[in-house]
C-alpha cells in the first residue's frame, strides 16, 4: 500500500494534470496484457495495422509482465495542457543514472537495448516514443483527452459541492482518504509511507489505469493515476452507414480507397492495386486527409495513409 500524508496546506494545493507521455507509457501495459484492458480493445484493434511499424524492442523494454512501467515515461504533468513535444524534449535530457535506475526498478537490470552510448540510446528512445505517439495515439488523442478533461470537470464540480475529500475518496475503489491520510492499495508489493510535505499531490486521470497507479520510485513527486470516468462510451460509434450512401457522398474511387485503407498503404501501392496513376491517387488522398478521413505518417522514404477514427466510422468495413 502507498500512503501519502497530507497536511491542510497540501490538501489545498492538490491539482489535476494530463500527461500525453504518461498516457503513452501506461498504454504500453495494454500492449503487454490486452486482456486486462477490455475497454481499450477497440483502440487496440484500430492500431493493429500500424503496430508492426513500431520499435518493439524499445517499447517492450519499458514495461514488464507485472505491467510496471519505467517512471521516466510517466512524468508528473505540469498542467492539463502539457504537450507531447515538450515531454519528449525533457526526456531527451535524462541522465544515464536516472535512465538505468528507473529501468532497474522495473526489470531488476537494464535491458540490452538501453545499454551503449547514452546519447544514441536516448535518441532511439525518443524516436520510438514519437513514432508510437504519431501512429497509435495522436489520431485518437482528442477522444482520449476529452474523456480525461470531462473527468477533471466532473471532479472539480464535486469538490465545489462536497469538498476535496469526496473527490479523493471517489477516485477509485483502491483509494481511501480519511481527512489526512491518502491510502492507495496496489496489487504490487510496493510499500510507502511518506508526507507530501509541500511537494504537491497531482491527480492524473487515465484511460489505461484499472484501479490506481503511482510512481515506482519513492523519490518521485506524489502522484496518483486513476481511471477516468466515461471510458465505456469512449469508442462507441453509430451503426455503419449504408455503403451505397458512402459511395454517393465520396464518389466510387474515394469510397474504394477509404475501404482499402484499413491498413497503411502508400499512394504507389494503391495506384498499382486500383490500376490508376499515382498522381490521381495522391489527389484523392490529400482531399480525404484534409477532410479528416485519413491519417498519414512517413515510414522510411514512403508516406503511408490509413483511416482515421472518422474514416473508420464512415467505412463500410471497420
Amino acid at each position: 500500500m502507498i500512503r501519502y500524508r497530507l497536511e491542510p496546506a497540501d490538501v489545498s494545493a492538490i491539482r489535476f494534470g494530463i500527461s500525453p507521455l504518461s498516457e503513452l507509457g501506461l498504454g504500453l501495459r495494454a500492449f503487454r496484457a490486452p486482456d486486462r484492458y477490455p475497454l481499450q480493445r477497440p483502440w487496440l484493434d484500430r492500431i493493429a495495422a500500424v503496430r508492426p511499424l513500431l520499435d518493439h524492442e524499445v517499447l517492450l523494454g519499458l514495461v514488464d509482465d507485472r505491467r510496471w512501467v519505467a517512471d521516466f515515461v510517466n512524468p508528473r504533468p505540469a498542467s492539463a495542457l502539457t504537450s507531447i513535444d515538450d515531454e519528449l524534449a525533457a526526456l531527451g535530457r535524462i541522465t544515464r543514472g536516472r535512465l538505468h535506475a528507473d529501468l532497474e526498478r522495473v526489470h531488476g537490470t537494464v535491458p540490452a537495448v538501453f545499454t551503449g552510448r547514452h546519447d544514441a540510446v536516448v535518441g532511439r528512445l525518443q524516436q520510438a516514443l514519437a513514432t508510437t505517439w504519431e501512429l497509435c495515439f495522436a489520431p485518437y488523442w482528442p477522444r482520449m483527452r476529452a474523456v480525461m478533461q470531462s473527468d477533471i470537470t466532473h471532479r472539480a464540480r464535486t469538490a465545489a459541492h462536497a469538498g476535496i475529500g469526496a473527490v479523493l475518496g471517489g477516485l477509485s475503489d483502491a483509494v481511501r482518504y480519511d481527512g489526512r491520510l491518502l491510502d492507495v492499495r496496489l496489487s504490487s508489493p510496493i510499500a510507502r509511507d511518506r508526507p507530501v510535505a509541500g511537494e504537491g499531490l497531482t491527480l492524473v486521470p487515465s484511460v489505461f489505469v484499472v484501479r490506481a497507479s503511482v510512481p515506482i520510485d519513492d523519490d518521485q513527486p506524489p502522484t496518483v493515476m486513476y481511471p477516468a470516468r466515461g471510458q465505456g462510451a469512449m469508442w462507441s460509434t453509430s451503426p455503419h452507414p449504408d455503403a451505397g450512401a458512402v459511395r454517393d457522398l465520396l464518389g466510387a474511387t474515394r469510397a474504394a480507397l477509404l475501404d482499402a485503407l484499413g491498413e497503411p498503404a502508400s499512394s504507389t501501392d494503391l495506384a498499382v492495386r486500383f490500376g490508376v496513376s499515382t498522381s490521381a491517387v495522391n489527389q484523392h488522398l490529400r482531399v480525404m486527409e484534409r477532410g479528416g478521413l485519413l491519417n498519414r505518417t512517413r515510414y522510411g522514404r514512403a508516406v503511408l495513409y490509413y483511416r482515421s477514427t472518422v474514416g473508420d466510422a464512415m467505412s463500410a468495413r471497420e
Side-chain angles (χ1 to χ4, degrees), residues 26-42 44 67 207-210 231:
L26 293 169
L28 297 179
R29 307 197 299 185
F31 285 11
R32 174 74 75 169
D35 292 343
R36 299 296 299 270
Y37 302 90
L39 295 179
Q40 305 314 328
R41 173 62 68 177
L44 290 169
R67 294 176 295 130
V207 301
F208 295 107
V209 171
V210 177
Q231 296 179 50

Side-chain angles (χ1 to χ4, degrees), residues 28 48 89 137 248:
L28 297 179
F137 286 84
D248 291 343

Side-chain angles (χ1 to χ4, degrees), residues 74 118 137 189 219 252 313:
N74 284 146
H118 182 63
F137 286 84
D219 293 332

Side-chain angles (χ1 to χ4, degrees), residues 4 54 145 195 214 299:
Y4 289 127
L54 307 181
R145 184 177 57 199
V214 298
Y299 185 63

Side-chain angles (χ1 to χ4, degrees), residues 35-234:
D35 292 343
R36 299 296 299 270
Y37 302 90
L39 295 179
Q40 305 314 328
R41 173 62 68 177
W43 172 71
L44 290 169
D45 291 342
R46 282 170 165 84
I47 65 172
V50 297
R51 282 182 62 181
L53 306 178
L54 307 181
D55 188 340
H56 290 278
E57 187 179 10
V58 168
L59 299 180
L60 295 181
L62 298 173
V63 58
D64 70 358
D65 290 336
R66 298 168 298 180
R67 294 176 295 130
W68 289 22
V69 183
D71 279 338
F72 57 74
V73 285
N74 284 146
R76 181 164 83 159
S79 72
L81 302 175
T82 307
S83 76
I84 186 67
D85 291 338
D86 288 344
E87 290 185 313
L88 288 176
L91 181 60
R93 297 188 290 273
I94 191 171
T95 65
R96 183 186 184 89
R98 167 76 191 283
L99 181 82
H100 285 196
D102 283 1
L103 290 167
E104 288 171 355
R105 290 187 186 95
V106 172
H107 299 287
T109 186
V110 178
V113 69
F114 297 110
T115 60
R117 203 176 75 238
H118 182 63
D119 59 341
V121 168
V122 173
R124 181 175 174 183
L125 172 63
Q126 287 178 296
Q127 184 59 56
L129 294 172
T131 300
T132 304
W133 176 264
E134 182 178 356
L135 295 181
C136 300
F137 286 84
Y140 311 106
W141 184 242
R143 185 178 296 200
M144 294 178 176
R145 184 177 57 199
V147 169
M148 291 182 277
Q149 288 177 329
S150 295
D151 176 277
I152 292 174
T153 299
H154 166 79
R155 297 185 194 279
R157 287 198 297 265
T158 299
H161 289 93
I164 193 65
V167 173
L168 294 174
L171 293 176
S172 163
D173 61 5
V175 179
R176 185 179 65 184
Y177 178 63
D178 69 0
R180 184 166 179 268
L181 305 176
L182 182 70
D183 293 336
V184 183
R185 297 186 303 278
L186 305 174
S187 57
S188 68
I190 297 177
R192 181 180 310 150
D193 187 335
R194 76 193 287 282
V196 173
E199 289 185 82
L201 173 65
T202 302
L203 307 177
V204 183
S206 171
V207 301
F208 295 107
V209 171
V210 177
R211 298 182 73 229
S213 186
V214 298
I216 301 172
D217 183 3
D218 288 352
D219 293 332
Q220 290 301 303
T223 305
V224 176
M225 293 159 276
Y226 65 90
R229 301 170 70 256
Q231 296 179 50
M234 184 165 58

Side-chain angles (χ1 to χ4, degrees), residues 230-247:
Q231 296 179 50
M234 184 165 58
W235 300 108
S236 61
T237 59
S238 59
H240 285 306
D242 178 81
V246 173
R247 285 194 298 272

Side-chain angles (χ1 to χ4, degrees), residues 256-277:
L257 288 169
L258 184 66
D259 193 47
L261 285 169
E263 297 185 358
S266 69
S267 58
T268 303
D269 294 335
L270 293 167
V272 172
R273 192 183 314 177
F274 288 94
V276 295
S277 69

